[in-house]
Amino acid sequence: MKAAFGTRGFTRLFVGVTASMFGDALMLIVLSMWVKKLTDSNGAAGLTFLWLTIPALLAPLFGYVVDRVPRRTFLVAANLGSALIMLPLLLVRDASDVWVIYLVAFFYGVSFVVMPAALNGLLKDMLAEDVLVEANASLSVTREALRLVGPLAGAALFAVAGGSTVAMVDALTFVIAAISIASLRVVEQHEEHEPQHWRAEVVAGVTHVRRTPLLLHSTLSLSICLLVVGFSESALYAVIEAFDKPVEFIGPMLTVQGVGALVSGLLSSRVIRRLGEPRTITVGLGLLSAGVAGVAAAGAVWQLLVATAVLGTGIPLMIVAYNTLLQRQTPGRLMGRVSTATEVLVTTPQALSIAIGALLVTVLDYRLIFAIMSSGTALAAVYLLTMLRGQIVRSTPSTSEPATPAEPVPVSRANPSAEDALEPPRVASGLATDPA
């Protein structure tokens, strides 16, 4: 990770992104906890995550915008906008105001779509390919480290001061991120290409994914996984009730998940360099499947926490490997649209899964729900291994071939070694999901 931090400007950006990630770690779980407290409904609490994921259905339009505006300016505006959307939470008083939480969750979800897309574009434009995995790993490790304290702090602050206070702290972190990014001097790359009809421009990201087998099948494997893992958003509260724990116990559970994820994140760049991105994704899916199965089988709290830590180890491997694969396989000028296109392909199944999970938790035992989740995740790993059995061995970082562009090859590029060029990061909650 030293190479990434040795790049001029990266540390300052890292500080800003870390601030916003800390706010997310505090706030995301509090939104559903707040609904649970107000309504005493597991399904209503789980639906909070559905509202977070719905904006991904509009992702191609967002990507079209991201690819046509200066990314630094866009990120500053997006962070300030995210701070403003926290303000309506000050109005929440009782169960009749749950719609306000859902509304805020929707706009929060918009920020989850657009900001990672813009940051991915900066990564692609300004980082050398051999540093991409290190930058992704550094952000993943930081995010998972924040999970060690974020959920606990968020749950504690919620219990003591209420959701409105947590919302204002989250808003402050977005402001810090905006100031940090605004202070950077960024030389962005611009690629000229033959103009196309606006409809073709909007769907260019989807076209590129369809024409790139490694990216297509890796994305579909995650889609299969999220088609069942989203059940956890509601079922998690049923797990807590079964072990006779208060709703705030979700904080310690996510912290334990963060311990496993932190260890995995520290090793992720090494694993990816050794196995390549697709095989690393399958390893992550396997660990996630094993951990979810452990939750279903747990008979004591310590067993539940061990299973949670195991599933936590799979998440960074999948995220870092997938983001690195996406960046390597995508031309810079398409990064926003490809990032948002994959968001649709991954988040649509997740949204369906969350909605179905909110219903299943009312009719099925949580153990059966988690068993279904484990089987679906294992199926996703088998799918990826089967579909890419001829390419998966050759797709290591040192030998990855650039993907065939979905649009004409650019005829000019900005000088990538220009002074003050920035090298950025990133990657976008229930028990086992983390918007990629």
Side-chain angles (χ1 to χ4, degrees), residues 149-395:
V149 295
L152 283 175
L157 188 58
F158 174 73
V160 173
S164 297
T165 300
V166 182
M168 293 305 98
V169 173
D170 192 18
L172 178 61
T173 66
F174 281 121
V175 172
I176 293 172
I179 293 172
S180 179
I181 295 171
S183 70
L184 298 167
R185 288 186 297 168
V186 181
V187 177
E188 296 186 26
Q189 297 181 22
H190 300 280
E191 301 173 345
E192 298 177 5
H193 65 283
E194 182 180 332
Q196 295 184 323
H197 191 277
W198 71 269
R199 290 177 183 172
E201 293 278 6
V202 169
V203 301
V206 176
T207 302
H208 176 77
V209 173
R210 180 172 55 83
R211 294 178 179 177
T212 312
L214 283 177
L215 185 56
L216 173 63
H217 294 301
S218 295
T219 302
L220 291 178
S221 70
L222 294 185
S223 299
I224 295 171
C225 170
L226 290 174
L227 187 58
V228 292
V229 168
F231 297 166
S232 68
E233 309 298 5
S234 295
L236 178 58
Y237 290 99
V239 174
I240 293 173
E241 288 181 354
F243 281 88
D244 197 26
K245 297 294 182 182
V247 66
E248 287 82 6
F249 186 69
I250 195 172
M253 285 189 67
L254 291 184
T255 297
V256 170
Q257 176 183 321
V259 172
L262 177 59
V263 173
S264 175
L266 290 170
L267 299 173
S268 61
S269 61
R270 191 175 305 174
V271 174
I272 292 169
R273 291 184 187 280
R274 184 176 182 84
L275 300 181
E277 293 95 348
R279 282 194 291 184
T280 303
I281 293 173
T282 64
V283 172
L285 288 169
L287 288 169
L288 179 56
S289 177
V292 171
V295 172
V301 172
W302 71 266
Q303 296 171 339
L304 175 65
L305 295 178
V306 169
T308 303
V310 171
L311 70 83
T313 63
I315 296 172
L317 292 176
M318 291 189 299
I319 292 175
V320 176
Y322 182 75
N323 279 355
T324 304
L325 180 67
L326 184 150
Q327 292 154 1
R328 291 182 186 279
Q329 296 281 313
T330 304
R333 61 191 168 82
L334 289 176
M335 187 58 67
R337 281 165 287 176
V338 171
S339 294
T340 52
T342 58
E343 189 77 22
V344 172
L345 294 173
V346 170
T347 309
T348 300
Q350 183 183 15
L352 291 173
S353 180
I354 293 171
I356 294 171
L359 296 175
L360 290 181
V361 75
T362 64
V363 296
L364 296 180
D365 182 81
Y366 81 88
R367 296 181 186 277
L368 179 57
I369 295 175
F370 274 81
I372 295 172
M373 289 163 52
S374 178
S375 299
T377 305
L379 177 64
V382 172
Y383 167 83
L384 185 57
L385 286 172
T386 301
M387 297 303 296
L388 297 180
R389 61 185 180 276
Q391 301 178 59
I392 204 165
V393 175
R394 299 194 299 271
S395 62

Side-chain angles (χ1 to χ4, degrees), residues 10-33:
F10 179 81
T11 300
R12 201 180 307 174
L13 179 62
F14 179 84
V15 170
V17 175
T18 298
S20 67
M21 287 194 299
F22 177 67
D24 292 342
L26 288 176
M27 192 67 208
L28 276 180
I29 199 60
V30 166
L31 289 174
S32 64
M33 288 173 58

Side-chain angles (χ1 to χ4, degrees), residues 22-183:
F22 177 67
D24 292 342
L26 288 176
M27 192 67 208
L28 276 180
I29 199 60
V30 166
L31 289 174
S32 64
M33 288 173 58
W34 204 346
V35 173
K36 169 69 174 176
K37 279 287 189 180
L38 293 175
T39 66
D40 196 30
S41 167
N42 294 333
L47 286 176
T48 307
F49 297 101
L50 176 62
W51 287 102
L52 281 166
T53 56
I54 286 175
L57 301 178
L58 303 174
L61 293 176
F62 296 143
Y64 180 75
V65 174
V66 169
D67 279 339
R68 274 155 178 73
V69 297
R71 283 161 178 160
R72 182 184 70 90
T73 303
F74 182 88
L75 286 169
V76 171
N79 275 287
L80 291 176
S82 296
L84 290 175
I85 66 174
M86 294 292 106
L87 297 181
L89 292 175
L90 295 174
L91 303 175
V92 175
R93 293 290 181 270
D94 53 42
S96 65
D97 298 322
V98 165
W99 68 270
V100 176
I101 299 177
Y102 287 157
L103 181 66
V104 170
F106 174 84
F107 285 106
Y108 211 166
V110 172
S111 74
F112 281 155
V113 173
V114 298
M115 288 201 281
L119 283 166
N120 271 336
L122 285 173
L123 270 171
K124 174 70 177 182
D125 284 345
M126 301 173 190
L127 273 180
E129 280 213 354
D130 60 349
V131 184
L132 283 173
V133 65
E134 294 185 7
N136 289 328
S138 69
L139 267 294
S140 179
V141 167
T142 303
R143 182 178 57 254
E144 301 306 339
L146 290 173
R147 281 185 172 176
L148 298 178
V149 295
L152 283 175
L157 188 58
F158 174 73
V160 173
S164 297
T165 300
V166 182
M168 293 305 98
V169 173
D170 192 18
L172 178 61
T173 66
F174 281 121
V175 172
I176 293 172
I179 293 172
S180 179
I181 295 171
S183 70

